[in-house]
Amino acid sequence: MITKIRSVFRHISPSRRKMTTHNTNAACCTIPPVLSDYTPKGTYKSVGSFNKVYVTGPETSTNAIVCVYDIFGYYPQTQQGADIVASTLKTTVYMPDFFEPDGPFPHDPFPPTTDEGKQALQTFFGTTANPPKNTIKLIEFGNHLKSKGAAKVGAYGFCWGGKVTVSAAGEDTPFSAVSIVHPAMLSAEDSEKLTVPLAIYPSKDEPKEEFDKIVGILSKKPFADRCDNKYYSAMHHGWAAARGDLKNEENKKEFEDVYTKLVNFFKKTLA
């Protein structure tokens, strides 16, 4: 509701309101999430520094994979994807609640139509969803999983989570491989700093020229043969997470396709 958006804005102090991270992906800021009747198979647990983490897959596995959700937080489609990855690879998948204790951005209604609502969304990207702050959280969580016995840890992220994930894959990263799916704030500069393989799967709403630059940069990396990419030119931003309409046959087909690619990527890079 509009009152929820106003609440998000008003409960942020004036000094924090200035911490805006401008997300210029118009589709990310305008396409609403889609309701789903999927029942997640995992459970919620306290893991590391997070009070709430969606955990799916075997209780113990040699490796671990971390999923960084989009701005709508826990959503059935995102959890469905995590369940697919976990069950196919027989690997534990963790989805921390990066937005705790604030919560995700209100999805009812979305997108915001007032100036106040639009400002609240950009402020959300600069505070609760601040990429650098959450990159630190992700790195710390990856290190925690390794300290608990995970031989190799992978990570994948959607939308805002894609920015966080690729930013966590530089020097001294705890991750052995990362993937970004319909990532917001896509930047070739981020891929320059990569020290591990990347799988990148943008939608038609991400800048193709930036994607092409990234593919070119990856081709020169020492791990180029373990990277993967596909530009989903027929899909909208968010098709594999909260904005995915799995009652639409084309969306469902490409949803299944990208998760197959994710599974194969991690099968190769975490082996």
Side-chain angles (χ1 to χ4, degrees):
M1 296 180 178
I2 293 175
T3 52
K4 289 183 181 179
I5 295 176
R6 287 174 177 164
S7 177
V8 168
F9 189 70
R10 288 171 180 168
H11 282 83
I12 296 173
S13 67
S15 61
R16 290 187 75 205
R17 289 179 195 175
K18 297 177 183 179
M19 296 171 56
T20 54
T21 297
H22 293 290
N23 181 1
T24 57
N25 187 318
C28 178
C29 297
T30 56
I31 299 175
V34 178
L35 293 177
S36 168
D37 57 5
Y38 178 77
T39 301
K41 295 178 170 59
T43 57
Y44 293 99
K45 300 179 180 179
S46 173
V47 183
S49 63
F50 291 98
N51 294 319
K52 185 178 181 182
V53 179
Y54 178 73
V55 183
T56 182
E59 290 189 6
T60 58
S61 62
T62 303
N63 299 323
I65 297 174
V66 184
C67 173
V68 187
Y69 52 37
D70 59 25
I71 65 168
F72 301 110
Y74 293 118
Y75 239 75
Q77 297 94 312
T78 313
Q79 292 169 299
Q80 183 174 352
D83 291 344
I84 291 171
V85 173
S87 62
T88 307
L89 291 175
K90 295 179 173 54
T91 299
T92 312
V93 174
Y94 299 85
M95 192 185 301
D97 188 1
F98 285 91
F99 300 152
E100 64 182 28
D102 297 336
F105 193 80
H107 65 272
D108 184 18
F110 192 92
T113 56
T114 66
D115 289 342
E116 184 181 40
K118 292 174 183 178
Q119 179 60 50
L121 178 58
Q122 292 299 336
T123 299
F124 179 77
F125 281 115
T127 53
T128 300
N130 177 263
K133 178 181 72 174
N134 285 284
T135 296
I136 293 171
K137 288 184 185 178
L138 177 56
I139 291 172
E140 290 177 345
F141 191 72
N143 281 323
H144 171 77
L145 294 178
K146 293 195 77 171
S147 74
K148 292 300 180 180
K152 292 184 178 181
V153 182
Y156 66 100
F158 305 97
C159 178
W160 157 89
K163 182 69 172 182
V164 172
T165 300
V166 73
S167 300
E171 189 176 355
D172 297 324
T173 181
F175 302 106
S176 296
V178 297
S179 179
I180 55 178
V181 185
H182 44 73
M185 297 171 271
L186 188 62
S187 170
E189 184 180 351
D190 293 332
S191 62
E192 293 276 11
K193 303 170 186 175
L194 285 169
T195 59
V196 296
L198 170 73
I200 175 171
Y201 308 119
S203 74
K204 64 182 176 65
D205 294 316
E206 280 75 64
K208 180 69 161 55
E209 63 276 10
E210 208 68 18
F211 167 73
D212 290 338
K213 288 179 186 176
I214 291 170
V215 172
I217 291 168
L218 293 177
S219 70
K220 297 178 177 65
K221 293 283 188 179
F223 44 78
D225 61 330
R226 292 189 290 150
C227 294
D228 191 38
N229 70 82
K230 180 176 178 178
Y231 193 81
Y232 285 82
S233 60
M235 286 293 100
H236 61 276
H237 176 83
W239 96 90
R243 307 174 213 238
D245 181 3
L246 301 187
K247 293 180 181 179
N248 177 286
E249 284 303 316
E250 185 66 16
N251 193 150
K252 181 181 178 183
K253 185 186 77 161
E254 298 294 49
F255 179 94
E256 293 171 348
D257 183 80
V258 77
Y259 278 101
T260 298
K261 284 190 166 294
L262 269 177
V263 164
N264 289 335
F265 172 69
F266 286 125
K267 186 182 293 184
K268 179 168 64 175
T269 54
L270 301 185

